[in-house]
Amino acid sequence: MLTASHTVSRSAPASRRAGDLLWPSLEDSKPDLLTRLMTFFRGCDDYVQNSPWRRDMSETLRLHGRDEFRPVPSQAAVIGLLAAWAELRKVLVADDAFLAQVHPDIPEDAPDRLQSLKAALMWFRIGLDRDVRTVEARNWLDALGWQDILTLAEKRDQAAERLIAGTAIVGPEGDIVALPAARREGAV
């Protein structure tokens, strides 16, 4: 069975690789909305865990891409996200499970730890919907395009599942690419 440690040849034509691309690499020059949101969520988590030592929330979150969003999350939106920190941590656990799949030194148990990011995000949203302190956070996520975020999460989940199934591999740039044989067999 192929694992994430196998890569596509660098000599493969770029046009073919682009057609087989299931998920872009994290080093992509312009990260997608989901990747930027996960980076920002990591900043929220970093702030919560280290707030006694880093009292300046704005600086911590700016370093994690707060200002890259349109609209930029308000202070009330950030506080709402922090109020749902327990649910936000579950999203980050699902994100970590995906990152383990594409890591060059993939842990042996990585396929067993994979969790659906889309499901984690949906549960996160349910947690936000149950808490009156998170109204601004919900409004901000809706303004960003919550459905677009879920669509990207589903696409990433499917790419990871294909990777585990052996019908995709991690490309040379760290992206997930469908295997040509799987494409011919109609698996793509």
Side-chain angles (χ1 to χ4, degrees):
M1 180 171 117
L2 293 174
T3 64
S5 63
H6 291 83
T7 59
V8 171
S9 165
R10 289 189 189 270
S11 63
S15 60
R16 185 191 61 77
R17 284 195 318 234
D20 295 337
L21 181 66
L22 300 174
W23 189 254
S25 72
L26 295 176
E27 286 79 33
D28 192 357
S29 61
K30 184 174 185 256
D32 60 63
L33 178 59
L34 179 64
T35 303
R36 290 184 324 194
L37 185 65
M38 291 299 103
T39 300
F40 181 65
F41 279 5
R42 288 199 183 281
C44 291
D45 181 58
D46 179 40
Y47 175 74
V48 169
Q49 291 191 43
N50 296 301
S51 58
W53 299 277
R54 287 191 207 137
R55 298 189 187 270
D56 185 4
M57 178 193 299
S58 296
E59 179 64 20
T60 299
L61 297 181
R62 186 184 61 74
L63 294 173
H64 286 89
R66 179 182 185 175
D67 297 335
E68 294 177 21
F69 294 102
R70 295 296 172 258
V72 173
S74 67
Q75 194 70 7
V78 171
I79 298 297
L81 293 173
L82 298 179
W85 182 70
E87 287 81 14
L88 187 135
R89 284 289 309 141
K90 294 172 188 171
V91 170
L92 295 177
V93 167
D95 189 46
D96 287 340
F98 170 79
L99 294 174
Q101 301 298 318
V102 297
H103 193 273
D105 298 320
I106 181 173
E108 191 172 306
D109 67 339
D112 297 329
R113 294 187 329 197
L114 185 66
Q115 299 178 28
S116 168
L117 181 60
K118 181 179 180 185
L121 285 167
M122 291 171 67
W123 280 109
F124 171 70
R125 182 59 187 246
I126 289 169
L128 290 178
D129 291 344
R130 291 182 180 161
D131 191 335
V132 296
R133 299 172 296 170
T134 64
V135 171
E136 275 298 313
R138 291 190 313 257
N139 291 341
W140 175 68
L141 289 170
D142 288 340
L144 278 183
W146 182 249
Q147 289 306 316
D148 295 337
I149 292 167
L150 291 179
T151 299
L152 286 168
E154 182 175 24
K155 181 179 176 185
R156 194 180 91 165
D157 287 346
Q158 290 170 352
E161 289 168 6
R162 297 272 311 273
L163 191 61
I164 291 170
T167 61
I169 56 176
V170 176
E173 292 86 25
D175 45 8
I176 300 177
V177 182
L179 287 170
R183 194 169 167 88
R184 281 192 301 272
E185 294 168 6
V188 175

